[in-house]
Amino acid sequence: MCGICAGISKENMIDEIVGGLKKLEYRGYDSSGVAYIENGKIKVVKSVGQIKNLEKKLAKTCANIVIGHTRWATHGVVSESNSHPHISQDGKVAIVHNGIIENYEKLKTTLKTKEFYSQTDTEVLANVISQMPGDNLQKIVSACREVVGSFALAVMFENCKDIFLAKRNSPLAVAIGDGEVLASSDISVFAEKFEFCYILDDDEFARINSKNVVFFDKNGKKIEKNRVFLKNFDFYSDFSDEKYFMLKEVKEQPMAIRKTFFEYTSDKKFFDLQQLKAFKSFHFIACGTAYHSCLMGARYIRHFCKKETHVSLASEFKYDENVLSKKCLYIFVSQSGETADTIACAKMIKEKGLMSMGITNVSYCTLNNLVDFVLPTFAGREVAVASTKAYTCQLFTMLLFALMLAGKDLETLKSFVLDFNVCDLGSDILQSLFKFKKIFFVGREQDYVTSLEGALKLKEIAYLNCLGIAGGELKHGTLALVDDETLVIAISTQTGLKEKMENVIEEIRARGGKVLLVSQFEHNTKVDYKIVLPVHEECLMPIVSVVPLQLLALEFCVRLGFNPDKPRNLAKSVTVE
Ligand code: AGP
């Protein structure tokens, strides 16, 4: 989960590459660096921390052959020496890399050099390339053949006016402009400036110069690639009205839900409904927030279609002894469509000849190329690491899917779509909540799912050690943690479980715990704080009830002095297993 950017131009390319790295910062922001050619020699500039630190160091630098990288640490601590670009010991090769070289220790033993300045797998690869025989392209093709693992690479050589690209299991695209060629881990980097791009497939290579790009297959044989036009690519605009992408994206949720609704009720055909109705069961697989949306998606299928469902964490599914079936549709949910754990499972299902569907928020992503059906979400580009609008759009898309499978009329959702809005928490309640450091989220059934998601938001941006617990499970152990310093956020949106949740609230308050009730209706029990939700159909309440939890996490985060868009230790797209 790093970002690479590379380019060649007749003009100075430094600003373009630094600008590209800024757009890739969501993929990792521990450190960054560039390498460029000056009088035939390779120069490298790196910095720890955000891209603006690198920008200062490059203030007076001019170069027209440049590669750049923004890092989320996988091998080696966060330091300048571990930052990319990495250079071979002889100084003749510089590379930037997104991915993991799993056999780098073994490759290290094949190297003539025994001197390494970093702890990274990438530095080893730079030396493997450098000592390979043949011309520059042959060196890279031969080196990548020895690699076990994933890579999106940009490679430059001393006294060479070309940059070389290589790709396996990590995204990489390249665009040609007027007198310049730009490559990036993410096509949003050039969506505003270029008309089309090319997307490299696994074990493909490219050689770029300021005029054009030539593609090669895994044997170094020339190949042709199709253009991907960017005109309808939805990329985020620089935001001015909100201080944080996350707040912008929380507020964009009503718009995103509306767009999703109108796309699926238009005359566009996203899938053959009869073909999908034939499946006997549905197995959802994902990570993190997307996994939580799967828990709801499975509930919608059971409720509206009365069909069997399963839900698995991708990182578990791949190693489980799953009982697989041709009558089952495997549904992979991923905002980025690049999550390595999810991709690995989709590849496994494909290799077994089973049918799969992707629910993704990015049009051109690896996952979409692996599945048989794609159900897009229309949340628009989501930049903040903590997923918000993509989550509610996943919920809504899966609700629409279940209703379509069940032959229901989607128009019944129209009033919700037009009424749905983002609530305002009100400063008084916030002031009273900030004193709590031990916070649990509890709910039953669909509200348990929302509890899990609410807890994840608070964990990942406010770094609070909080839990999401099934309401009925509290008394089986976790209740022991409840004391008068505990805040329990009780989510209760199902009238049929109201009494049960009243019992849960009593259990908590009897032990001194304070309760914040999040609900659209009254409860016959005393609580300490309340967030009153608007009334909508119960199946829609998971979308409505998660919004105040997103805002609560944001408020805690900012009050604690953290940046919600770039939480520590995390990245937006986890492209390593
Ligand atoms: C969500 O807030 C987290 N950033 C994380 O759990 C995320 O949902 C997970 O990594 C899956 O990402 P994906 O949807 O892009 O596959």
Side-chain angles (χ1 to χ4, degrees):
M1 50 200 135
C2 305
I4 74 168
C5 200
I8 299 186
S9 163
K10 292 188 287 255
E11 312 300 327
N12 181 9
M13 204 63 192
I14 292 284
D15 293 346
E16 182 95 32
I17 295 299
V18 170
L21 292 178
K22 280 182 175 176
K23 288 183 179 168
L24 293 173
E25 224 173 353
Y26 73 90
R27 300 174 65 86
Y29 32 80
D30 292 330
S31 60
S32 59
V34 299
Y36 57 90
I37 300 286
E38 187 176 79
N39 304 323
K41 294 293 180 200
I42 295 174
K43 303 284 186 185
V44 178
V45 177
K46 306 178 177 184
S47 82
V48 171
Q50 296 191 0
I51 306 277
K52 60 188 176 201
N53 303 342
L54 176 69
E55 197 168 18
K56 280 188 203 119
K57 289 189 176 183
L58 290 168
K60 297 189 174 51
T61 307
C62 272
N64 63 349
I65 303 173
V66 190
I67 62 176
H69 184 276
T70 183
R71 182 175 187 241
W72 181 84
T74 52
H75 288 76
V77 296
V78 176
S79 66
E80 268 205 22
S81 61
N82 284 334
S83 311
H84 300 217
H86 285 291
I87 193 159
S88 56
Q89 204 263 345
D90 59 11
K92 297 183 187 308
V93 179
I95 71 173
V96 288
H97 168 221
N98 172 31
I100 283 193
I101 311 295
E102 292 171 16
N103 63 334
Y104 82 101
E105 290 291 2
K106 179 167 172 288
L107 291 173
K108 212 171 188 174
T109 61
T110 68
L111 296 176
K112 294 173 202 139
T113 178
K114 297 306 170 202
E115 292 163 27
F116 298 93
Y117 58 79
S118 80
Q119 306 152 299
T120 66
D121 53 345
T122 307
E123 184 192 358
V124 170
L125 182 57
N127 284 290
V128 171
I129 293 170
S130 176
Q131 72 174 32
M132 277 293 171
D135 64 28
N136 291 342
L137 175 68
Q138 286 163 344
K139 283 173 178 286
I140 295 170
V141 170
S142 306
C144 289
R145 200 174 287 134
E146 300 305 315
V147 165
V148 174
S150 56
F151 50 78
L153 287 180
V155 186
M156 66 170 38
F157 293 83
E158 186 179 71
N159 298 319
C160 175
K161 291 191 177 345
D162 297 334
I163 291 176
F164 294 83
L165 308 173
K167 188 261 186 211
R168 184 192 298 161
N169 288 343
S170 291
L172 187 56
V174 58
I176 304 174
D178 176 15
E180 69 173 299
V181 177
L182 194 60
S184 167
S185 302
D186 185 327
I187 55 183
S188 69
V189 166
F190 25 69
E192 293 167 49
K193 189 173 177 187
F194 296 87
E195 187 196 355
F196 61 85
C197 72
Y198 299 91
I199 296 179
L200 277 82
D201 291 313
D202 282 352
D203 292 306
E204 286 186 348
F205 300 84
R207 182 179 62 225
I208 68 174
N209 59 37
S210 63
K211 294 192 192 65
N212 66 12
V213 54
V214 182
F215 295 100
F216 305 90
D217 68 12
K218 63 182 177 187
N219 301 313
K221 187 168 156 294
K222 266 189 192 175
I223 54 174
E224 295 301 321
K225 294 278 298 172
N226 297 326
R227 292 176 174 184
V228 171
F229 284 88
L230 299 163
K231 62 181 181 312
N232 58 355
F233 186 80
D234 188 359
F235 55 89
Y236 67 94
S237 57
D238 284 339
F239 60 109
S240 53
D241 48 346
E242 298 300 348
K243 189 173 182 207
Y244 300 112
F245 271 115
M246 185 174 169
L247 182 55
K248 170 180 176 282
E249 289 156 5
V250 167
K251 291 185 173 180
E252 284 176 344
Q253 291 182 108
M255 164 106 69
I257 293 284
R258 262 175 227 129
K259 181 159 171 51
T260 302
F261 178 75
F262 288 111
E263 287 286 343
Y264 280 101
T265 51
S266 69
D267 51 8
K268 283 183 194 167
K269 203 163 155 42
F270 290 94
F271 48 79
D272 175 342
L273 195 54
Q274 292 319 313
Q275 201 177 354
L276 293 183
K277 280 185 171 181
F279 286 103
K280 296 274 178 293
S281 62
F282 298 83
H283 196 141
F284 293 80
I285 298 140
C287 303
T289 285
Y291 169 73
H292 297 153
S293 76
C294 290
L295 294 170
M296 261 330 292
R299 302 181 65 79
Y300 287 142
I301 295 280
R302 292 197 297 274
H303 178 77
F304 291 107
C305 309
K306 309 301 179 208
K307 291 207 171 185
E308 180 187 336
T309 62
H310 305 277
V311 184
S312 297
L313 284 167
S315 53
E316 293 291 302
F317 178 78
K318 191 171 175 213
Y319 305 99
D320 275 348
E321 290 178 20
N322 298 298
V323 177
L324 303 174
S325 161
K326 284 192 179 310
K327 296 195 176 84
C328 178
L329 178 67
Y330 294 88
I331 302 176
F332 298 97
V333 181
S334 174
Q335 189 285 131
S336 63
E338 299 300 344
T339 299
D341 287 321
T342 309
I343 300 281
C345 296
K347 283 189 169 178
M348 183 178 84
I349 289 297
K350 186 180 179 70
E351 284 155 11
K352 291 180 183 303
L354 300 170
M355 299 293 275
S356 62
M357 178 162 83
I359 299 180
T360 54
N361 194 45
V362 176
S363 318
Y364 301 104
C365 63
T366 303
L367 184 58
N368 284 0
N369 294 327
L370 287 168
V371 295
D372 302 287
F373 309 95
V374 173
L375 219 51
T377 54
F378 295 93
R381 186 164 181 69
E382 186 178 72
V383 178
V385 168
S387 188
T388 50
K389 63 176 183 173
Y391 175 67
T392 47
C393 275
Q394 286 163 353
L395 295 181
F396 192 64
T397 300
M398 287 192 263
L399 173 59
L400 292 171
F401 176 58
L403 290 171
M404 286 186 269
L405 273 187
K408 305 281 186 192
D409 178 8
L410 303 185
E411 286 306 308
T412 55
L413 297 175
K414 194 161 195 172
S415 60
F416 165 73
V417 167
L418 298 175
D419 291 347
F420 174 48
N421 239 315
V422 172
C423 62
D424 180 353
L425 284 183
S427 56
D428 53 331
I429 189 167
L430 289 168
Q431 287 314 321
S432 43
L433 296 180
F434 286 133
K435 60 178 179 279
F436 293 102
K437 290 289 175 284
K438 193 185 328 178
I439 299 173
F440 300 152
F441 294 77
V442 293
R444 286 173 175 264
E445 297 291 305
Q446 68 184 31
D447 296 327
Y448 170 44
V449 177
T450 307
S451 302
L452 294 172
E453 178 56 16
L456 177 57
K457 289 290 123 356
L458 202 52
K459 268 183 264 195
E460 67 176 329
I461 64 172
Y463 316 148
L464 292 179
N465 181 8
C466 56
L467 296 171
I469 311 157
E473 193 55 20
L474 202 57
K475 57 185 174 295
H476 296 288
T478 315
L479 195 60
L481 297 178
V482 173
D483 57 20
D484 55 9
E485 292 178 354
T486 309
L487 172 68
V488 178
I489 299 173
I491 299 127
S492 177
T493 67
Q494 303 155 98
T495 47
L497 290 168
K498 176 170 164 291
E499 281 73 28
K500 288 290 181 197
M501 281 306 288
E502 287 167 351
N503 298 342
V504 171
I505 291 167
E506 289 303 328
E507 283 168 21
I508 294 159
R509 301 192 80 248
R511 276 109 185 138
K514 300 293 180 285
V515 173
L516 161 60
L517 175 62
V518 179
S519 179
Q520 71 275 32
F521 46 72
E522 285 302 318
H523 287 61
N524 304 323
T525 177
K526 194 170 171 358
V527 294
D528 303 276
Y529 315 99
K530 255 190 207 173
I531 291 175
V532 180
L533 299 173
V535 177
H536 290 287
E537 269 185 80
E538 283 190 8
C539 66
L540 292 159
M541 292 312 290
I543 295 170
V544 177
S545 57
V546 76
V547 175
L549 308 186
Q550 296 166 345
L551 290 169
L552 207 58
L554 249 171
E555 292 290 346
F556 268 88
C557 167
V558 173
R559 187 179 176 79
L560 292 168
F562 303 130
N563 177 342
D565 290 341
K566 297 173 184 164
R568 67 185 182 196
N569 307 344
L570 301 178
K572 181 63 179 171
S573 182
V574 184
T575 56
V576 290
E577 280 191 56

